Amino acid sequence: MVARILASCPQQSLSLEDYYRQVCPQILDLLHIQDKLTAHQFQRVATTALLTMARERPQLAVKYLLRPMLAPLLQCWDMAELAMEDLPAGTVLVKEAELSRCVEDVFKVYVVGNEPSDMLLESLQPSLGVIFSLYCFTKQNVSHLRSPCQEILLWVLEKSEREVALSTLEGFAGLGRTMQFLHPLCQFQVAAGGGAMITVKETISDEEEALYQKVSSEQWQMEQLVDLLTHCQKSGLAGDFFICCLKVRGHSLLAARTGARVQEVPCIPRGLTFTCLMVPCRMWGGYWKKGDVPLKSLGKEPLQV
């Protein structure tokens, strides 16, 4: 009842948009109540009101509720690149409390609220790359953000149409679709409270070191993508994605044999070549296991699938 009242514009308001402009920040504040006795009730009211507004006035809900809620994840991309380059390395762009609150809000609204409308799923798409980057970062250390990040990603993959889910996975893997990950001038950094913060990355002048870090990061992301897919066995999504990987690999091999131009066929990341073998072995318990062959022993040449 309270959520229904909040979602309804009173007659004395100047306009519907003016009402949303005033009440939406207060609804978001309800998600952050810390009192143990009342927090759950307030959060349920806020989530229900937000989802009701999203159903009835999607454009206004995106503008005054969802975009402000997701802002910390996209803040680095919203900054002018020249302005960011002028900042010294280590400058904090998104504080730990701000990033933690953002991830927790997304979990409460999308996963706990569990109303997978096309509008809600689409509203989260621009942030998925950053959430996946944060998830990969949390797998390197102990962090309370790991579980909500994982649940958000799995929820999106489960609730999306199969083609959209596969396109999202391809984006995570660097195939076809362009995915907006954390800004290249930024980095996640371990924070004192067990969370993470976003800071300006130190510029690496050594090209070989920069390349090594880039390849290592991509390889780590591919490993975490496979770990994420181990939770998608029942839906068949992992198997469908494995077939997509094989198709892309087949296109790459065909292009190499026929001398086709690179831009005519999809390019497969080196880490994903390894992933093509990791996926079925992790999914269906094949003879080869992830731990059997160290990544370093793969050498410079990619495995042939």
Side-chain angles (χ1 to χ4, degrees), residues 90-103:
T91 301
V92 177
L93 300 175
V94 180
K95 297 179 180 179
E96 177 186 13
E98 188 178 2
L99 186 59
S100 295
R101 185 173 61 183
C102 173
V103 172

Side-chain angles (χ1 to χ4, degrees), residues 41-59:
Q41 289 92 334
F42 279 119
Q43 290 170 12
R44 185 170 59 181
V45 168
T47 300
T48 304
L50 190 152
L51 293 175
T52 302
M53 291 174 156
R55 281 196 308 270
E56 298 179 354
R57 305 290 177 178
Q59 293 183 340

Side-chain angles (χ1 to χ4, degrees), residues 4-115:
R4 179 71 255 180
I5 294 173
L6 287 174
S8 303
C9 177
Q11 294 182 352
Q12 60 267 31
S13 293
L14 297 177
S15 66
L16 181 62
E17 182 161 2
D18 182 68
Y19 175 71
Y20 270 65
R21 186 184 299 110
Q22 293 184 43
V23 78
C24 286
Q26 300 176 54
I27 292 176
L28 292 177
D29 285 340
L30 292 178
L31 292 170
H32 311 141
I33 300 292
Q34 297 297 319
D35 182 76
K36 294 182 179 180
L37 296 177
T38 58
H40 180 71
Q41 289 92 334
F42 279 119
Q43 290 170 12
R44 185 170 59 181
V45 168
T47 300
T48 304
L50 190 152
L51 293 175
T52 302
M53 291 174 156
R55 281 196 308 270
E56 298 179 354
R57 305 290 177 178
Q59 293 183 340
L60 291 175
V62 168
K63 183 177 180 180
Y64 293 109
L65 285 169
L66 300 180
R67 284 180 185 168
M69 183 175 65
L70 296 168
L73 294 171
L74 302 175
Q75 183 169 321
C76 296
W77 288 102
D78 293 336
M79 293 181 62
E81 189 158 318
L82 290 176
M84 198 181 302
E85 288 178 345
D86 293 336
L87 295 174
T91 301
V92 177
L93 300 175
V94 180
K95 297 179 180 179
E96 177 186 13
E98 188 178 2
L99 186 59
S100 295
R101 185 173 61 183
C102 173
V103 172
E104 290 165 1
D105 287 353
V106 173
F107 176 78
K108 294 170 188 173
V109 171
Y110 288 84
V111 182
V112 178
N114 196 25
E115 192 170 302

Side-chain angles (χ1 to χ4, degrees), residues 160-209:
S160 298
E161 296 289 337
R162 182 52 57 94
E163 290 185 4
V164 176
L166 289 173
S167 175
T168 300
L169 289 173
E170 289 175 356
F172 291 158
L175 293 172
R177 170 186 170 182
T178 301
M179 180 70 72
Q180 184 170 280
F181 297 101
L182 187 64
H183 196 287
L185 295 179
C186 302
Q187 65 180 358
F188 290 113
Q189 189 171 322
V190 176
M197 52 187 175
I198 301 177
T199 63
V200 176
K201 184 188 297 185
E202 183 178 359
T203 304
I204 302 175
S205 56
D206 188 322
E207 293 183 2
E208 290 188 0
E209 177 63 22

Side-chain angles (χ1 to χ4, degrees), residues 230-254:
T230 60
H231 300 279
C232 303
Q233 299 180 50
K234 292 183 179 179
S235 67
L237 181 61
D240 289 346
F241 180 61
F242 172 59
I243 293 173
C244 288
C245 292
L246 291 181
K247 287 181 179 179
V248 173
R249 184 58 181 162
H251 287 314
S252 299
L253 292 175
L254 180 62

